[in-house]
Amino acid sequence: MIQAPVLQGSGKGGNKTPKEAPDSLFSNNIARILDLLSEGEIEGIVGDTEEERLQNTFYNEVPIRSPDGVLNYSGVAIQANWGTPDQTALPGFDNVRTSVAVGQELPAGVNKTISFPNAGDVTAVAVTISAQQFFKVEDDGDTVGTSVSFVIEVSENGGTFKTAYNGTIRGKQKNEYTADYRVPIGDPNGNTAIRVRRTTPDSATLKVNDTISFKTYTKIVEHKFSYPNMAVVGHTLDAKQFGNQLPNRQYRVRGIKCRVPHNYDPVTRAYTGPFNGSLTTGKLYTNNPAWIFYELVTNKRYGLGKFVDPSVIDITSLYQTGVWCDGMVPDGMGGTEPRWTCNTVITTRGEAFNLLRELVSCFRGTLFWMEAKLWALGDQPRVPTKLVTNGNVIGGRFVYSGDSNRQRYSVINVSYNDPDLFFRRGIESVEDPDLVREIGYKPTDFGAFACTSRGQARRVGRSILFSQEFESEL
């Protein structure tokens, strides 16, 4: 019999537990974002104080500050101009940056060159170097940091490359690490080339993760842009809160300022005293569609003011429509609200008449030209102007015609921008029981232009059904 050998330790050893060093590389990516909100001048982000305005500014649909005062994001600074002609440039936004993705790994012996022929206004380029899972594993199993060196070189007008920056990434990080390196453009009218290459040899073992990449480059134009007549909001924030990706931004905004009647207070929606036919010299925010209509027709910069004289608008009938729009009515949920409002963003070009026709649809109106005047009349109660009977009709007989039941509907599904859904499309279904009994359940869809109120959407549906029931015969 062969006896197996017995293995004994020294009594001082034992298995060692590997240790991992804490992360020591952290990206410091400060993002500066400039958003164009609107043609100016506008009232601005909703709120009378900075705290209230932060509650109505959102990153990825989350308010920067909650209604209870808690900040959902730290290290955020916001500045704004609301679109006046003489506004100054926002501090800290004295350049324009345009980023271009590269996404090329940089192994030893391989370089990446980008060229800028006739750079023009570009005064500098920011080179972004990234490292993914930057660490090494020691022979004893410990995970520690490592280091990689690289060089950024510049050539002007076909000359030799000269070192602009010697860089080294040193430390440990299990997630992506990025760093920016600014390279000035020497001759804006010449041909500038920027080359990035790794100077540390590639690792020969899988225990070392030290891959670096040329991630992006950003062209920088140094200039103080004030953006006159444009409402802009500037954000300065720490991008690492968002996984090094820029957040989507949303705002609750009181929009374009308009000229309004001299006796009108758009905050209280009150008309004081008689109307003498004149409008205010200065402009005030309102969402009354009648005065927004007047602004779009008469404004010479973004409206029809270069082609239409204000005198062609029948201001008396428009005033009556404006008063009717501001009338307070039940909102269907126990409160009251203005009868008709206009809350929208116009982002596409189109035929002027079609846009104006959509706008007057906010108050169920009609747009037409008569007696050398442009009329925008709302579908509102009026005093009868003539009584027609059999006695004053030729032949003493009425001849009727009407829509067939195929052209009539008993249910209207009104789509609107629902605030409870972050202004996504909501549907308010309105039906008329009498019409359902008469012609059956016949639904149709209708889009309410510039509508952000469920109550207003319901009034739109009821107005259409009223016409279906009582105005189908001529």
Side-chain angles (χ1 to χ4, degrees):
M1 174 186 286
I2 300 176
Q3 186 175 358
V6 177
L7 302 179
Q8 295 180 337
S10 65
K12 296 183 180 179
N15 294 328
K16 177 182 180 295
T17 302
K19 296 180 181 180
E20 181 172 344
D23 288 343
S24 57
L25 282 173
F26 300 99
S27 301
N28 188 23
N29 289 340
I30 301 300
R32 285 184 173 85
I33 310 167
L34 193 65
D35 284 337
L36 172 63
L37 296 191
S38 172
E39 168 77 19
E41 177 184 7
I42 68 172
E43 180 79 5
I45 298 173
V46 174
D48 297 325
T49 65
E50 180 65 21
E51 289 75 16
E52 291 176 345
R53 286 189 283 272
L54 289 177
Q55 293 173 16
N56 289 292
T57 304
F58 304 81
Y59 290 155
N60 299 326
E61 300 187 6
V62 177
I64 295 176
R65 181 185 289 270
S66 297
D68 58 6
V70 176
L71 282 171
N72 294 312
Y73 303 98
S74 60
V76 173
I78 293 180
Q79 306 170 74
N81 282 331
W82 301 132
T84 57
D86 56 352
Q87 64 191 20
T88 58
L90 295 176
F93 291 85
D94 51 1
N95 58 59
V96 176
R97 295 173 172 245
T98 306
S99 295
V100 179
V102 179
Q104 178 171 323
E105 287 190 7
L106 295 173
V110 176
N111 60 65
K112 175 62 177 178
T113 302
I114 52 175
S115 297
F116 300 92
N118 191 20
D121 293 333
V122 177
T123 54
V125 174
V127 174
T128 302
I129 303 297
S130 69
Q132 294 279 4
Q133 296 188 339
F134 202 71
F135 63 91
K136 70 176 179 179
V137 179
E138 301 279 29
D139 292 339
D140 61 0
D142 289 350
T143 303
V144 297
T146 186
S147 66
V148 166
S149 296
F150 60 92
V151 64
I152 301 176
E153 301 166 311
V154 178
S155 168
E156 298 284 357
N157 299 315
T160 58
F161 278 92
K162 299 179 180 180
T163 300
Y165 197 92
N166 274 310
T168 299
I169 300 175
R170 181 179 289 108
K172 172 185 170 291
Q173 178 57 263
K174 284 295 187 75
N175 298 308
E176 183 184 27
Y177 167 78
T178 61
D180 293 341
Y181 303 88
R182 183 187 177 97
V183 181
I185 297 292
D187 182 4
N189 298 315
N191 186 357
T192 300
I194 297 175
R195 183 171 70 187
V196 184
R197 59 185 178 88
R198 174 181 175 135
T199 57
T200 299
D202 293 331
S203 172
T205 173
L206 295 177
K207 292 183 178 181
V208 178
N209 289 274
D210 62 357
T211 301
I212 62 171
S213 299
F214 185 173
K215 185 176 183 178
T216 62
Y217 67 87
T218 303
K219 294 182 287 186
I220 302 172
V221 178
E222 304 283 357
H223 191 80
K224 291 187 176 181
F225 294 98
S226 63
Y227 302 101
N229 300 313
M230 288 183 278
V232 293
V233 178
H235 300 253
T236 303
L237 52 92
D238 186 352
K240 68 183 179 183
Q241 297 182 81
F242 308 95
N244 289 324
Q245 294 185 353
L246 297 181
N248 294 320
R249 284 87 57 206
Q250 299 87 22
Y251 310 86
R252 290 181 185 266
V253 173
R254 294 190 177 106
I256 286 287
K257 291 185 175 182
C258 308
R259 294 182 64 194
V260 297
H262 68 94
N263 62 340
Y264 176 51
D265 183 342
V267 176
T268 63
R269 300 183 183 273
Y271 296 81
T272 305
F275 178 54
N276 63 13
S278 66
L279 303 183
T280 57
T281 302
K283 294 184 177 183
L284 301 170
Y285 165 73
T286 179
N287 62 357
N288 185 312
W291 308 123
I292 295 174
F293 170 85
Y294 184 92
E295 179 68 19
L296 283 180
V297 172
T298 60
N299 191 282
K300 293 183 179 180
R301 200 170 62 250
Y302 54 81
L304 297 175
K306 293 182 179 180
F307 314 100
V308 178
D309 191 274
S311 61
V312 306
I313 299 175
D314 187 78
I315 195 67
T316 301
S317 63
L318 189 64
Y319 177 83
Q320 295 169 351
T321 297
V323 173
W324 181 62
C325 290
D326 276 319
M328 302 304 289
V329 296
D331 62 4
M333 288 166 280
T336 59
E337 64 181 4
R339 179 178 282 106
W340 306 118
T341 59
C342 175
N343 299 290
T344 190
V345 180
I346 300 171
T347 59
T348 57
R349 298 180 63 180
E351 291 289 337
F353 188 80
N354 291 339
L355 175 59
L356 294 178
R357 189 164 53 187
E358 279 193 303
L359 184 56
V360 301
S361 74
C362 289
F363 49 82
R364 305 295 298 149
T366 302
L367 180 66
F368 59 94
W369 183 270
M370 183 179 71
E371 298 176 351
K373 292 283 187 179
L374 182 63
W375 299 71
L377 295 181
D379 188 10
Q380 61 201 83
R382 289 184 175 82
V383 177
T385 57
K386 185 176 182 62
L387 181 63
V388 180
T389 67
N390 298 81
N392 53 12
V393 174
I394 297 176
R397 295 180 59 190
F398 289 102
V399 178
Y400 296 94
S401 64
D403 298 331
S404 70
N405 286 345
R406 293 181 181 179
Q407 298 173 306
R408 300 172 67 195
Y409 302 96
S410 57
V411 178
I412 309 294
N413 296 317
V414 183
S415 60
Y416 67 106
N417 298 321
D418 189 347
D420 293 336
L421 301 176
F422 219 85
F423 296 95
R424 296 185 180 89
R425 183 170 177 262
I427 300 294
E428 179 68 9
S429 185
V430 186
E431 68 176 58
D432 185 320
D434 293 334
L435 278 174
V436 172
R437 284 191 292 270
E438 179 184 348
I439 64 175
Y441 186 88
K442 297 184 63 178
T444 190
D445 298 328
F446 183 85
F449 179 76
C451 177
T452 58
S453 162
R454 182 181 178 186
Q456 180 167 320
R458 188 159 191 84
R459 290 191 293 279
V460 169
R462 290 173 58 189
S463 174
I464 296 173
L465 289 176
F466 182 90
S467 298
Q468 292 283 309
E469 184 170 7
F470 298 106
E471 299 175 1
S472 62
E473 190 175 67
L474 299 175

